[in-house]
Amino acid sequence: MAQQLKLPMWTVACNEDTSASDLVGRFILKGNETPWIDGPLTQAVRQGGICYLDEVIEARQEALVVLNALADHRRQLFIDKTNEVLHAPAHFMLVVSYNPGYQSVMRDLKESIKQRFVAVRFDYPAIELEQNIISSESGCTSALARALANFGASSRKMAGSGLFEGVSTRMLIHAAKLMSQQTGQQNLLEAALIDPVTDEPTIRASLLALLPLVMAAVHM
Amino acid sequence: MATVIADKWLESVLRGLQQPEQILPVVSVDRSQQQQRLAITPFGLSLPHSLSNKLSGVLQGDYKPVDLLCMVAHAQAHLKHSAFFQPVGKFKHLSLALISLLEDERVERLINDDIEGIGAVFTSRMDMEQALSIGGVETQLAKMSVCLNRRHNVFEDYWCGKALDMYEQALSGGGGFAALREAGSILANDLGQMRYRFDHTKYAVWPAYRDDNSILWTDASADQKVQETVTHSRTSSPTEPDLPPKEEKLIFYYDEWNADTQNLNKAFVTVNHLGLLPVSGLQRIPLRAAHTAYLKSRRRRAMRGEFKLSVDSSEQLWLDKAIERSIDLHCQISPDENIFLQWQRQQLSAGVMVLIDASESANDRIAGSFTSILDLEKKAITHLADFFQSARIPFAVSSFHSNTKDAVSITLHKDFVSPWTDAQWRSLQGLQACYSTRLGAALRHMSTLCVNRLQQPMVLVLTDGVPSDVDCPDENYLWQDSQFVVAQLREEGVGVMCLKIGSSQAQICQKIFGSSQTVVCEAVNIELAMRSVFKKIRKSIP
């Protein structure tokens, strides 16, 4: 998006320690002075561009509060420590991302924050599209890519009954790369597709039972 | 050795293989030791208990997952594409075996459209050398299976060629199972004229992943067999040796609110407490108007809580001193007087008691599926258990049904302190739904179980209907009593929530529990609704 719009982008990987100061900025010690350093959000507002807060749900609640005035019609960033009010230019954009679903059972964005954004929903790709992605990213045969895409879809259907989340497209690409290098090794598939997602014996056995479908494609 | 729970495994595999529009069949485990193969019933699949060891073997690498996959996919093929209970008529055993063989091949081809790649996996299990080594007419049948699967007469055998031709001809005519019956009986007649001897008592379908096809046919003995399988799958498992033994039944008497007269009928309802014994606190229930509980049991001493060994009045437990004291007592020597046992009741800070409505209506099946509401409730509890465990919230699980005011049965499947184990999960799976819904009495008993046990108790009711019982012609009487109890529980600091499955009569549930504390969902969305319920619980329990 930044590339297409030719805008600078500030990316913040949020975590549970991410505070408002990490976004807005803070005074630092420098020699005998305590200059103010803009945080990535402030820089984006001052200069115009895209500020992308990845996994925003992980950030502290107080960090999210600073977004309120910025993300609604006011488009203002209040910096209380410097007593400044910044008005975001027209080409300033705020983008946040997080994983809804089971992860939000424990933590979720406040409705008031969610409603300040336009939402784009990303889900797993359809089988045909995922097959193309796996095939083009890994260079594997289309039969193996298809079988892996089917395996991914099957694992996702199992999610919720002991399996937290199904196999991701990223994992399927890794598996395809491994299988392309070491054809016929089932233990590679186990290592790439099953062990990373579960160590629960019953679910593991369930996923193992589906692997022959992939192995059959390998030997085609 | 890691243990795989057979029915949970099968359910997961089926879930992975199913199409979005399909509904999971009921799955059960036959522990009678008589069943050797996976059995298909009209209500779903029944696993042989012996399979559990093989499943664990999968993880150890000494059993091939491919056999398990074929077994499940073949069963699913029958469930989706076969017509069950065809009349045996005058067919001989060899005819039945051949027609079944043709049907096996037909459904396996069809399921390949649903499960991409499964055809190749089936083929990999059709070992030609193994087919030739069986002996007798079974070899001929196995060879036919191989040829039909590969769509080629790989043995260059006359009978295999004829079977192939007749099979393709039957299917191309669009005759379905009826055409296969005709083809199979002609082939059987031919083989009979060749003086092939077929002993149906020793015949085992080949390859081993295929079921015995008894589901396809009906006669007196087959009916009996299916009935036995179904009955067994419906029988509760608490009598199994690996489950906790049944505890003594405890009897409680509770009041009931009559809204018309604005009076409490004293000690009006009899509640039978079954399953696990409540750990402690019951004898401390005060004689209050609405929660009068009279415990009639010799077990009451056992429920008084836990003893804590203290030394010199300190609160610290000294293990060495405890051992010394035990040795002294064992040797009949007076122990050190400074060491004494102090009674102490553990009190948890917060917890959720899940109460399942196991009345007859829970046996209703979801339209177009084998799944009942009770099955969904059990699944919902499993999801909820995962949530509670991840959030470290103590939880208990109980179920209830009633058969008039004299017999309200409440079963405690899991208490707050015990972990969520396979035994408790199985106890829940063995739950059967019957009779009516006397919710008020059940809620009063929940209060008995929770109030002295938790500082901040919460009761979550899972129900598909509204309170009713056969001795209450006034349809308002029981829900008004429930409404009264809920209000009283909340006054005492007990949170009460409801997950109502199905939108019919949801407004009554909302009257009982309040709109904000009632989540209404359709049966198929129960998993999603559980998340919503859990969020509400999280808000209530910080």
Side-chain angles (χ1 to χ4, degrees):
Chain A
M1 199 171 148
Q3 192 177 26
Q4 287 192 3
L5 296 172
K6 294 187 173 67
L7 288 173
M9 186 168 85
W10 288 261
T11 301
V12 183
C14 298
N15 59 55
E16 58 193 7
D17 292 325
T18 302
S19 64
S21 298
D22 292 330
L23 300 179
V24 176
R26 52 167 55 91
F27 288 106
I28 63 165
L29 283 172
K30 191 174 182 182
N32 294 327
E33 297 176 342
T34 54
W36 169 260
I37 299 293
D38 281 345
L41 183 64
T42 308
Q43 286 180 42
V45 174
R46 282 194 206 281
Q47 298 174 37
I50 297 174
C51 182
Y52 169 43
L53 307 181
D54 190 15
E55 296 294 352
V56 68
I57 204 165
E58 298 292 335
R60 289 188 199 170
Q61 282 295 326
E62 51 107 8
L64 301 181
V65 172
V66 303
L67 305 179
N68 282 347
L70 194 57
D72 64 21
H73 65 282
R74 290 170 285 179
R75 293 178 65 81
Q76 291 172 334
L77 177 63
F78 298 105
I79 310 176
D80 52 355
K81 289 174 185 169
T82 59
N83 199 21
E84 273 185 287
V85 179
L86 299 182
H87 293 269
H91 53 284
F92 167 78
M93 293 182 203
L94 183 59
V95 180
V96 302
S97 67
Y98 69 102
N99 291 311
Y102 76 90
Q103 289 178 334
S104 68
V105 170
M106 305 295 293
R107 298 181 79 169
D108 200 357
L109 278 185
K110 282 184 178 176
E111 294 301 318
S112 57
I113 292 184
K114 282 186 199 171
Q115 290 173 8
R116 285 172 155 80
F117 288 86
V118 175
V120 180
R121 186 176 183 81
F122 290 96
D123 208 338
Y124 293 109
I127 297 273
E128 287 74 17
L129 179 58
E130 191 162 39
Q131 176 190 351
N132 290 339
I133 294 169
I134 296 167
S135 180
S136 61
E137 291 292 321
S138 70
C140 72
T141 64
S142 64
L144 176 58
R146 180 77 177 187
L148 284 168
N150 280 323
F151 181 86
S154 293
S155 72
R156 288 158 204 159
K157 289 176 201 161
M158 289 184 187
S161 59
L163 183 67
F164 269 122
E165 201 168 69
V167 174
S168 66
T169 308
R170 185 188 298 127
M171 292 172 70
L172 296 173
I173 293 167
H174 288 164
K177 284 179 179 171
L178 282 171
M179 294 305 284
S180 301
Q181 292 162 12
Q182 298 280 332
T183 306
Q185 298 290 318
Q186 177 166 324
N187 56 356
L188 288 180
L189 283 178
E190 290 178 38
L193 298 176
I194 297 179
D195 292 334
V197 294
T198 185
D199 52 7
E200 202 278 314
T202 302
I203 297 299
R204 191 169 184 277
S206 306
L207 288 168
L208 272 175
L210 300 181
L211 273 193
L213 289 169
V214 182
M215 291 303 293
V218 172
H219 296 303
M220 279 173 73
Chain B
M1 184 172 168
T3 305
V4 177
I5 303 165
D7 37 3
K8 194 176 170 191
W9 170 86
L10 179 56
E11 189 182 317
S12 291
V13 176
L14 283 169
R15 188 187 284 268
L17 293 178
Q18 72 176 339
Q19 300 304 302
E21 71 276 9
Q22 282 181 287
I23 303 289
L24 282 175
V26 177
V27 174
S28 66
V29 176
D30 185 339
R31 292 186 171 81
S32 64
Q33 307 291 335
Q34 293 171 353
Q35 188 182 330
Q36 297 300 319
R37 294 185 182 210
L38 181 143
I40 305 170
T41 77
F43 303 101
L45 305 178
S46 176
L47 281 167
H49 190 243
S50 57
L51 191 65
S52 299
N53 293 333
K54 291 180 181 174
L55 287 171
S56 297
V58 170
L59 299 178
Q60 306 301 316
D62 54 2
Y63 192 79
K64 291 178 180 173
V66 65
D67 294 318
L68 300 171
L69 174 67
C70 290
M71 185 181 69
V72 177
H74 181 78
Q76 192 161 353
H78 273 308
L79 280 171
K80 187 165 185 190
H81 298 293
S82 281
F84 297 153
F85 303 128
Q86 298 291 320
V88 167
K90 293 182 180 176
F91 283 128
K92 293 178 181 172
H93 291 296
L94 183 55
S95 300
L96 295 177
L98 265 163
I99 299 168
S100 301
L101 185 153
L102 298 177
E103 173 68 358
D104 280 342
E105 178 56 30
R106 186 182 75 89
V107 296
E108 284 186 4
R109 286 191 191 182
L110 289 172
I111 203 67
N112 193 41
D113 295 338
D114 295 335
I115 308 172
E116 279 185 54
I118 194 66
V121 181
F122 284 140
T123 303
S124 72
R125 306 321 294 157
M126 299 273 182
D127 185 61
M128 289 170 61
E129 287 184 12
Q130 195 185 26
L132 291 170
S133 66
I134 299 172
V137 70
E138 283 86 349
T139 296
Q140 194 59 49
L141 297 180
K143 283 162 63 180
M144 286 179 180
S145 295
V146 172
C147 294
L148 288 170
N149 175 272
R150 302 185 185 203
R151 306 184 191 199
H152 175 59
N153 188 358
V154 288
F155 297 104
E156 298 184 352
D157 175 277
Y158 172 77
W159 300 110
C160 290
K162 185 168 185 179
L164 258 176
D165 291 343
M166 295 192 73
Y167 174 81
E168 300 295 349
Q169 200 175 348
L171 286 193
S172 62
F177 191 70
L180 290 184
R181 280 166 68 118
E182 189 181 343
S185 58
I186 292 171
L187 284 169
N189 189 46
D190 287 355
L191 290 177
Q193 288 184 5
M194 294 298 293
R195 301 294 185 266
Y196 274 117
R197 184 178 172 81
F198 181 74
D199 183 354
H200 74 279
T201 60
K202 294 180 181 172
Y203 172 65
V205 176
W206 185 90
Y209 69 78
R210 286 180 173 172
D211 67 295
D212 63 4
N213 287 314
S214 58
I215 189 70
L216 299 178
W217 305 103
T218 179
D219 64 2
S221 59
D223 276 349
Q224 189 182 353
K225 189 172 179 182
V226 169
Q227 199 59 43
E228 281 171 6
T229 309
V230 172
T231 306
H232 192 85
S233 73
R234 294 289 182 85
T235 306
S236 62
S237 53
T239 54
E240 294 300 323
D242 54 346
L243 293 176
K246 272 194 171 178
E247 296 289 354
E248 182 182 344
K249 183 169 79 174
L250 304 178
I251 299 172
F252 297 80
Y253 298 100
Y254 290 102
D255 304 340
E256 195 162 79
W257 173 250
N258 187 332
D260 289 341
T261 61
Q262 294 287 299
N263 276 327
L264 274 170
N265 296 323
K266 297 287 183 184
F268 189 67
V269 183
T270 307
V271 167
N272 301 316
H273 179 100
L274 306 166
L276 295 174
L277 283 173
V279 177
S280 65
L282 292 188
Q283 77 286 2
R284 295 188 156 222
I285 298 295
L287 298 180
R288 289 167 300 176
H291 295 286
T292 311
Y294 307 92
L295 177 60
K296 281 188 172 182
S297 169
R298 293 177 185 169
R299 302 296 296 264
R300 56 193 297 179
R301 284 183 62 81
M303 293 184 294
R304 280 188 179 155
E306 296 173 358
F307 284 95
K308 184 176 180 182
L309 188 76
S310 294
V311 180
D312 297 334
S313 302
S314 70
E315 287 300 311
Q316 192 175 5
L317 175 70
W318 287 10
L319 192 57
D320 291 344
K321 294 288 185 186
I323 294 169
E324 278 176 24
R325 181 186 166 86
S326 297
I327 294 169
D328 288 347
L329 289 172
H330 189 72
C331 299
Q332 298 183 333
I333 301 168
S334 297
D336 185 349
E337 289 180 356
N338 290 328
I339 305 174
F340 58 91
L341 289 171
Q342 179 187 8
W343 180 84
Q344 190 176 63
R345 198 179 72 247
Q346 283 187 341
Q347 196 170 41
L348 301 167
S349 58
V352 181
M353 169 66 81
V354 183
L355 177 64
I356 306 169
D357 169 8
S359 59
E360 180 61 36
S361 58
N363 286 327
D364 291 351
R365 295 192 178 277
I366 311 300
S369 80
F370 294 125
T371 307
S372 68
I373 290 171
L374 186 65
D375 295 330
L376 289 174
E377 286 180 339
K378 289 174 185 174
K379 274 185 196 169
I381 296 294
T382 309
H383 293 310
L384 205 56
D386 290 340
F387 288 146
F388 284 138
Q389 285 176 316
S390 64
R392 297 177 185 275
I393 296 175
F395 70 101
V397 180
S398 54
S399 61
F400 80 101
H401 61 253
S402 65
N403 185 16
T404 74
K405 71 180 184 61
D406 299 320
V408 179
S409 299
I410 297 178
T411 306
L412 184 61
H413 301 279
K414 179 193 176 303
D415 60 25
F416 289 106
V417 290
S418 57
W420 179 246
T421 60
D422 291 346
Q424 288 161 340
W425 183 80
R426 285 178 203 163
S427 163
L428 185 66
Q429 295 307 306
L431 171 63
Q432 295 178 81
C434 55
Y435 301 129
S436 307
T437 314
R438 211 172 193 103
L439 180 61
L443 285 171
R444 288 180 174 94
H445 191 60
M446 292 303 103
S447 165
T448 304
L449 297 182
C450 294
V451 165
N452 281 4
R453 193 83 184 97
L454 300 162
Q455 290 172 357
Q456 192 184 350
M458 172 168 273
V459 178
L460 169 63
V461 180
L462 255 69
T463 181
D464 63 301
V466 295
S468 66
D469 211 338
V470 288
D471 59 347
C472 295
D474 180 359
E475 59 185 22
N476 295 325
Y477 173 77
L478 283 178
W479 77 254
Q480 286 171 339
D481 171 58
S482 303
Q483 189 183 42
F484 180 83
V485 184
V486 169
Q488 202 157 35
L489 287 177
R490 285 181 180 148
E491 277 181 19
E492 294 173 1
V494 181
V496 188
M497 280 183 64
C498 174
L499 176 60
K500 169 78 170 72
I501 302 166
S503 54
S504 69
Q505 296 182 299
Q507 68 278 12
I508 294 184
C509 281
Q510 286 165 340
K511 283 181 186 173
I512 297 171
F513 299 97
S515 299
S516 64
Q517 295 302 308
T518 305
V519 175
V520 182
C521 73
E522 292 305 325
V524 290
N525 295 329
I526 194 164
E527 199 175 326
L528 203 62
M530 269 298 165
R531 290 180 181 169
S532 168
V533 167
F534 186 72
K535 280 185 182 178
K536 282 178 180 281
I537 292 172
R538 286 294 296 173
K539 282 180 183 171
S540 306
I541 300 175

